[in-house]
């Protein structure tokens, strides 16, 4: 099994513009593997995700940087391809690309910003087209032609190429998008508040079957998980003390192949410190022992 990695999904508040970059630097000091940011360009109370990712790249040296996940309806794939490649080059190969179709309940906000209104099916079609566009611009040796329903390229110049073989991660819950993850994706990131651990087996099965049908190895698709919880005395998922968190996360890794955990909406340096000291090493030890 791939080594278990740990990260956090930070909250980019416009009211505290330096907090996110400072927390990312702290995460690197504490030994976290990945720092991520969500992307809601239509919320003025949030700082711009790509600009913040650029600042984090400039202020860190080791930690992987990942959007969780970029809003495809408001970010053209050709632009995202070049932005992601640039951040990968500047970071020394530490950038991964997360793409989201756009939450269905946010379409009014997307349209208000000048973006398209898409059905659930159209959103998945657009995501599939975007992946082909992005990968072509990263790898093609000739001008790129692409004629899709949602995106078109008319002889676009390829490049720049990423420094490393960059993965593209999806957020997926419904079967059709889970199948696309298995067919085209390099990683999968659901969120525990909307997708509890008991939903993981069926989703993994859909991803694996799609991967095999596409001639891919299911093990090559990384499995991430945005996790939300409270250090306390509860009995639910991630509601107890750190030792209980460690046991539950180790069980999820061993039973459901989750290899990367992101603390969901992390905004506290104390929580980041406690998780790094009391949860992450215990999970690794339990998984290694098993």
């Amino acid at each position: 099994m791939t080594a278990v990695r740990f990260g956090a999904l930070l909250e980019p508040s416009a009211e505290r513009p330096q907090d996110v970059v400072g927390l990312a630097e702290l995460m690197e000091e504490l030994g976290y593997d990945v720092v991520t940011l969500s992307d809601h360009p239509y919320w003025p109370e949030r700082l711009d995700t790509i600009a913040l990712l650029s600042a984090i790249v400039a202020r860190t040296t080791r930690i992987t940087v990942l959007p969780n996940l970029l809003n495809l309806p408001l970010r053209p794939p050709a632009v995202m391809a070049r932005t992601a490649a640039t951040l990968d080059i500047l970071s020394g190969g530490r950038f991964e690309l997360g793409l989201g179709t756009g939450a269905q309940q946010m379409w009014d906000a997307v349209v208000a910003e000048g973006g398209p209104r898409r059905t659930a099916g159209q959103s998945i079609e657009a995501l599939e087209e975007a992946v082909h566009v992005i990968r072509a611009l990263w790898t093609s040796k000739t001008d790129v032609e692409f004629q899709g329903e949602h995106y078109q390229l008319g002889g676009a110049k390829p490049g720049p190429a990423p420094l490393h073989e960059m993965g593209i991660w999806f957020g997926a819950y419904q079967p059709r998008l889970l199948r696309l993850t298995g067919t085209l994706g390099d990683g999968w990131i659901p969120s525990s508040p909307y997708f509890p651990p008991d939903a993981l087996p069926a989703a993994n099965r859909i991803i694996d079957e799609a991967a095999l049908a596409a001639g891919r190895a299911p093990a090559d698709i990384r499995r991430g998980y945005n996790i939300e919880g409270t250090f306390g005395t509860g009995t639910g998922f991630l509601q107890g003390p750190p030792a209980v968190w460690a046991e539950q996360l180790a069980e999820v890794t061993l039973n459901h192949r989750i290899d990367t955990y992101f603390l969901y909406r992390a905004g506290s340096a104390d929580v980041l410190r406690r998780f790094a000291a009391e949860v992450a090493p215990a999970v690794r030890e339990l998984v290694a022992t098993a």
Side-chain angles (χ1 to χ4, degrees):
M1 167 175 272
T2 302
V4 186
R5 301 193 305 169
F6 296 95
L9 173 60
L10 303 178
E11 289 292 282
S13 170
E15 295 181 355
R16 302 183 303 277
Q18 299 301 321
D19 283 10
V20 170
V21 179
L23 287 174
E25 291 178 294
L26 175 64
M27 287 177 62
E28 183 162 82
E29 293 171 12
L30 294 172
Y32 281 89
D33 303 289
V34 192
V35 58
T36 76
L37 301 177
S38 60
D39 185 40
H40 296 281
Y42 34 74
W43 288 351
E45 64 270 22
R46 298 285 189 94
L47 295 169
D48 179 71
T49 296
I50 291 178
L52 272 175
L53 293 172
S54 301
I56 291 171
V57 161
R59 296 265 289 271
T60 56
T61 59
R62 177 195 56 79
I63 198 166
T64 295
V65 180
L66 168 73
N68 187 347
L69 304 146
L70 288 181
N71 185 280
L72 177 60
L74 289 174
R75 299 194 183 275
V79 175
M80 280 199 291
R82 296 189 168 98
T83 299
T86 298
L87 289 172
D88 195 53
I89 293 166
L90 292 175
S91 68
R94 293 185 288 122
F95 193 81
E96 294 280 292
L97 180 59
L99 291 180
T101 57
Q104 291 301 305
Q105 65 269 30
M106 299 297 182
W107 284 114
D108 286 346
V110 168
V111 172
E113 297 278 328
R117 185 183 298 276
R118 292 171 177 155
T119 65
Q122 290 170 336
S123 297
I124 296 171
E125 293 167 0
L127 180 63
E128 182 174 1
E129 290 182 13
V131 171
H132 289 300
V133 166
I134 290 168
R135 287 185 172 147
L137 290 172
W138 284 347
T139 61
S140 179
K141 303 302 181 185
T142 60
D143 293 354
V144 179
E145 298 279 352
F146 184 85
Q147 296 300 317
E149 183 69 26
H150 304 278
Y151 300 110
Q152 298 82 36
L153 296 181
K157 302 295 182 184
L163 197 62
H164 82 298
E165 190 172 341
M166 193 188 306
I168 299 180
W169 297 64
F170 298 158
Y173 299 95
Q174 300 303 322
R176 184 176 175 186
L177 191 47
L178 289 167
R179 286 192 291 272
L180 184 64
T181 302
T183 302
L184 284 181
D186 300 300
W188 173 49
I189 313 176
S191 299
S192 69
Y194 315 106
F195 212 74
D198 60 9
L200 295 172
N204 272 325
R205 186 162 52 251
I206 293 171
I207 292 171
D208 292 349
E209 290 172 353
L212 291 170
R216 308 178 69 202
D220 290 342
I221 301 169
R222 304 294 299 267
R223 320 282 165 132
Y225 205 16
N226 293 324
I227 53 170
E228 184 174 58
T230 303
F231 292 126
T233 58
T235 58
F237 182 59
L238 304 184
Q239 295 301 313
V244 172
W245 278 50
E247 292 170 3
Q248 291 177 335
L249 294 180
E251 182 179 356
V252 170
T253 292
L254 293 168
N255 292 338
H256 308 309
R257 290 175 290 149
I258 298 296
D259 59 61
T260 308
Y261 293 100
F262 308 99
L263 281 174
Y264 191 60
R265 296 175 178 170
S268 165
D270 290 340
V271 169
L272 289 171
R273 288 191 179 95
R274 190 172 190 187
F275 186 89
E278 301 180 50
V279 179
V283 174
R284 290 190 174 109
E285 182 176 354
L286 288 169
V287 170
T289 300

